[in-house]
């Protein structure tokens, strides 16, 4: 999905910072956008929906029991036009 958008608008760039609540089974319970610089709400929402379908490694049940909560992770995802590969790289 991001690739389609980047092909239509090659100069498109931006960063979306997501906050994920991740369940002990590795599934994403909740995805929030903390910040975005894309200037495109439709794009942001589509990426947010895709991130909500990610799965992470199952967590150690002992660690989760001690925490007594889901894991919350915040991370940025950058979108930009990739420079063509140079011969010899």
């Amino acid at each position: 999905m991001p690739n389609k958008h980047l092909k239509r608008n090659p100069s498109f760039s931006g960063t979306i910072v997501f906050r994920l609540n991740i369940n002990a089974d590795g599934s994403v319970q909740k995805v929030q956008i903390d910040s975005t610089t894309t200037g495109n709400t439709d794009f942001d929402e589509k990426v947010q929906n895709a991130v909500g379908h990610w799965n992470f490694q199952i967590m150690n049940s002992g660690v989760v029991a001690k925490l007594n909560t889901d894991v919350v992770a915040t991370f940025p995802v950058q979108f930009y036009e990739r420079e063509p590969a140079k011969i010899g790289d």
Side-chain angles (χ1 to χ4, degrees):
M1 189 279 310
N3 288 338
K4 286 183 186 179
H5 187 80
L6 293 170
K7 285 180 183 177
R8 285 191 306 241
N9 185 359
S11 63
F12 175 83
S13 66
T15 300
I16 305 173
V17 178
F18 292 101
R19 180 178 304 271
L20 303 179
N21 290 61
I22 305 168
N23 295 318
D25 68 0
S27 64
V28 176
Q29 179 183 41
K30 183 177 181 181
V31 181
Q32 294 175 284
I33 295 176
D34 275 359
S35 65
T36 178
T37 62
T38 68
N40 188 321
T41 303
D42 184 54
F43 177 82
D44 294 348
E45 290 173 353
K46 286 180 181 176
V47 175
Q48 181 181 21
N49 184 51
V51 169
H53 291 93
W54 288 1
N55 284 296
F56 294 86
Q57 185 174 355
I58 294 173
M59 295 177 220
N60 179 310
S61 60
V63 171
V64 174
K66 284 182 184 178
L67 294 173
N68 197 26
T69 186
D70 298 327
V71 172
V72 178
T74 302
F75 65 95
V77 178
Q78 295 181 326
F79 299 91
Y80 55 90
E81 180 181 16
R82 191 173 95 202
E83 293 184 27
K86 296 177 184 174
I87 296 176
D89 283 352

